[in-house]
């Protein structure tokens, strides 16, 4: 199951071409159910033209749900059960996006928008980025990404990377209405929900916007939801800590992020309740600059 | 190479060329490309940072600053020397040996998209 002849005749299904920032790819498989799943999940990333890279998923091996994964000609892994497949491929897609998107400043952050105002939600894994952005989209905000926020240096706008939202079991209870209805593909979502943004709202995907609000969440169960304004210097430091490839592009990242932060405000948010957090973000957008919620934090 | 603690009023300070700086609302954020550290300076330290161009020693610099800001010269000299020693420990100055522990505490760990499933 490591070396395989990946000639075209092995595959009965090829997805559309998807563009995820600098990564242009498609999925091919001998399992049409898998193919249809990827087409549905990544529909918001679909573009015209041929892919530059292929993810190949082969139903083979001794396990009924077992799948061998390849990236171009490189064997990646064999997954014994379907519930690992989507997460594995999504992880590899994210990895390739980061490697191939050096033209952007990429921050480990979710992002949404409202009325041409970009809201960036940075944080390490498990900080609550995806949960908060899912809540925002459910409440009417536009979806930009839940993983890597790409700032275009020349325009300082966020370019959308509308991948499916990856929702972990810890957030299933507060996002129960987003549970996938996969029909006979249920086994793929046992471990993590992959939710295409258009299943939340058909018009959920946003377009490029300037970042104007940075929200650094920390989930504390049952704590009152609250926001503390941050000095812009502190916002910038925290963004650098969440910038992919900062060791290779540190000076450039500093310059671009500083330019974005100068036009923005930022807050640390303790999140005890998702709905309260969503309303708190809405309130921050509508708070006037220099009012109580001033970002200077002094 | 000078030790940071040996910096005194005769020291001529120059910031390293591999330290990038951005100033927001009077506070500098520095990124050291050589050792991948990040530093945040107070408004006062930022003013001092901008003066370290290798032109004059700290005694001369303090003379100029204390006159401009109408601050007690001797107190300012003590504060400036302490601040520049701190810059030195952080590895931000030409010709001054950094303190490994201080550098380690300012290290910028690369962001990661999460562990492979």
């Amino acid at each position: 199951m490591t070396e395989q002849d990946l000639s075209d005749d092995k595959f009965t299904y090829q997805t559309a071409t998807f563009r995820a920032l600098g990564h242009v790819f498609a999925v091919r498989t001998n399992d049409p159910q898998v193919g249809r799943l990827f087409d549905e999940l990544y529909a918001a990333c679909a573009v015209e033209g041929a892919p530059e890279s292929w993810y190949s998923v082969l139903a083979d091996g001794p396990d009924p749900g077992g799948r061998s994964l390849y990236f171009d000609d490189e064997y990646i892994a064999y997954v014994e059960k379907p519930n690992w497949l989507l997460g594995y491929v999504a992880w590899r897609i994210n990895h390739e996006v980061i490697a191939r998107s050096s033209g952007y400043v990429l921050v480990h952050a979710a992002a949404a928008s409202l009325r041409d105002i970009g809201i960036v939600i940075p944080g390490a894994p498990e900080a609550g980025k995806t949960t908060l952005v899912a809540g925002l989209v459910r409440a009417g905000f536009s979806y930009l990404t839940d993983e890597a926020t790409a700032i275009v240096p020349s325009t300082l706008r966020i370019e959308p990377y509308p991948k499916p939202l990856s929702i972990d079991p810890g957030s299933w209870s507060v996002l129960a209405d987003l549970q996938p209805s996969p029909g006979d593909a249920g086994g793929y979502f046992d471990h993590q929900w992959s939710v295409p943004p258009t299943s939340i709202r058909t018009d959920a995907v946003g377009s490029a916007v300037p970042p104007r609000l940075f929200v650094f969440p920390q989930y504390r169960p049952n704590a009152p939801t609250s926001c503390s304004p941050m000095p812009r210097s502190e916002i910038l430091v925290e963004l650098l800590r969440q910038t992919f490839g900062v060791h290779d592009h540190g000076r450039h990242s500093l310059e671009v992020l500083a330019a974005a932060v100068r036009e923005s405000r930022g807050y640390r948010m303790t999140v005890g309740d998702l709905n309260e957090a969503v309303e708190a973000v809405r309130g921050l957008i509508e708070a006037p600059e220099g009012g109580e919620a001033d970002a200077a934090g002094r | 190479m000078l030790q940071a603690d040996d910096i005194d009023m005769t020291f001529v300070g120059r910031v390293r060329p591999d330290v990038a700086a951005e100033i927001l609302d009077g506070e500098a954020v520095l990124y050291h490309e050589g050792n991948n550290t990040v530093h945040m300076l107070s408004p006062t330290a930022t003013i001092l940072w901008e003066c370290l161009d290798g032109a004059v020693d700290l005694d001369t610099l303090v003379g100029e600053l204390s006159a401009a800001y109408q601050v007690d010269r001797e107190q300012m000299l003590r504060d400036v020397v302490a601040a520049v020693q701190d810059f030195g420990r952080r590895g931000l100055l030409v010709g001054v040996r950094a303190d490994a522990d201080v550098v380690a505490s300012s290290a910028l760990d690369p962001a990661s998209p999460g562990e492979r499933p």
Side-chain angles (χ1 to χ4, degrees):
Chain A
M1 284 178 282
T2 54
E3 296 298 321
Q4 273 278 5
D5 169 19
L6 298 179
S7 53
D8 289 346
D9 59 2
K10 281 196 173 305
F11 304 102
T12 55
Y13 192 106
Q14 294 182 5
T15 67
T17 298
F18 306 118
R19 188 171 89 81
L21 301 175
H23 185 32
V24 181
F25 65 95
V27 180
R28 58 185 182 178
T29 179
N30 62 348
D31 180 348
Q33 183 183 64
V34 168
R36 286 190 295 272
L37 203 50
F38 277 99
D39 266 330
E40 180 186 338
L41 292 175
Y42 285 89
C45 299
V47 293
E48 298 292 323
E52 296 171 359
S53 301
W54 286 97
Y55 293 86
S56 302
V57 181
L58 277 174
D60 61 8
D63 306 289
R67 302 287 181 271
S68 294
L69 307 179
Y70 297 81
F71 176 70
D72 288 337
D73 294 332
E74 174 198 350
Y75 170 77
I76 301 176
Y78 174 76
V79 294
E80 297 170 355
K81 298 179 182 177
N83 59 5
W84 285 102
L85 175 63
L86 296 180
Y88 214 107
V89 176
W91 176 86
R92 184 58 188 252
I93 290 171
N94 286 337
H95 175 81
E96 294 298 327
V97 166
I98 292 164
R100 294 162 187 260
S101 302
S102 59
Y104 306 95
V105 173
L106 276 183
V107 181
H108 195 186
S113 65
L114 187 69
R115 298 195 304 268
D116 203 37
I117 294 171
I119 303 109
V120 180
I121 306 165
E126 312 303 322
K129 302 185 297 295
T130 298
T131 305
L132 181 54
V133 82
L136 291 173
V137 175
R138 187 172 62 181
F141 288 62
S142 295
Y143 177 66
L144 300 177
T145 190
D146 76 337
E147 178 65 25
T149 294
I151 297 176
V152 179
S154 58
T155 64
L156 297 182
R157 288 180 163 250
I158 301 167
E159 180 159 326
Y161 168 27
K163 60 175 286 294
L165 290 85
S166 302
I167 301 175
D168 290 328
S171 298
W172 288 357
S173 61
V174 295
L175 295 170
D177 53 316
L178 303 187
Q179 181 174 6
S181 302
D184 58 356
Y188 292 95
F189 301 100
D190 287 350
H191 176 66
Q192 183 184 64
W193 293 350
S194 291
V195 179
T198 49
S199 73
I200 302 176
R201 268 191 358 265
T202 53
D203 64 344
V205 179
S207 51
V209 291
R212 288 290 179 263
L213 183 65
F214 293 91
V215 176
F216 295 80
Q218 183 162 25
Y219 175 57
R220 293 226 169 91
N222 303 316
T225 296
S226 62
C227 301
S228 304
M230 299 166 69
R232 289 191 173 94
S233 55
E234 187 178 328
I235 299 169
L236 180 55
V237 169
E238 293 302 322
L239 288 177
L240 283 173
R241 294 192 192 286
Q242 298 302 330
T243 298
F244 294 116
V246 70
H247 289 185
D248 299 323
H249 312 289
R251 182 182 290 264
H252 175 66
S253 299
L254 178 74
E255 180 183 343
V256 171
L257 292 174
V261 170
R262 283 193 185 94
E263 304 299 321
S264 306
R265 295 175 286 155
Y267 299 83
R268 293 195 188 276
M269 178 181 284
T270 298
V271 180
D273 175 87
L274 178 58
N275 291 332
E276 288 178 4
V278 167
E279 290 315 305
V281 171
R282 199 187 296 277
L284 290 175
I285 291 172
E286 286 157 7
E289 183 98 31
E292 254 187 52
D294 185 275
R298 292 186 292 276
Chain B
M1 197 77 131
L2 191 66
Q3 298 288 346
D5 288 347
D6 294 332
I7 290 173
D8 62 16
M9 57 194 270
T10 66
F11 177 71
V12 178
R14 187 156 57 95
V15 304
R16 289 179 59 110
D18 57 353
V19 176
E22 292 285 342
I23 298 173
L24 297 93
D25 302 325
E27 296 176 333
V29 174
L30 310 177
Y31 175 71
H32 191 316
E33 295 177 293
N35 60 22
N36 296 310
T37 55
V38 64
H39 311 266
M40 204 161 64
L41 302 185
S42 69
T44 305
T46 298
I47 293 170
L48 177 59
W49 172 263
E50 293 189 287
C51 293
L52 297 179
D53 56 5
V56 297
D57 62 21
L58 294 186
D59 188 50
T60 305
L61 181 60
V62 166
E64 295 170 357
L65 290 175
S66 62
Y69 292 94
Q70 299 189 325
V71 175
D72 176 73
R73 194 181 192 285
E74 291 306 312
Q75 181 60 53
M76 177 173 268
L77 182 60
R78 285 190 290 271
D79 293 342
V80 164
V81 168
V84 175
Q85 288 176 344
D86 181 59
F87 291 161
R89 287 186 204 99
R90 293 167 183 251
L92 302 175
L93 301 177
V94 174
V96 180
R97 190 186 309 279
D99 182 304
D101 291 336
V102 173
V103 168
S105 68
S106 303
L108 199 58
D109 295 325
S112 164
E115 292 183 358
R116 176 174 158 144

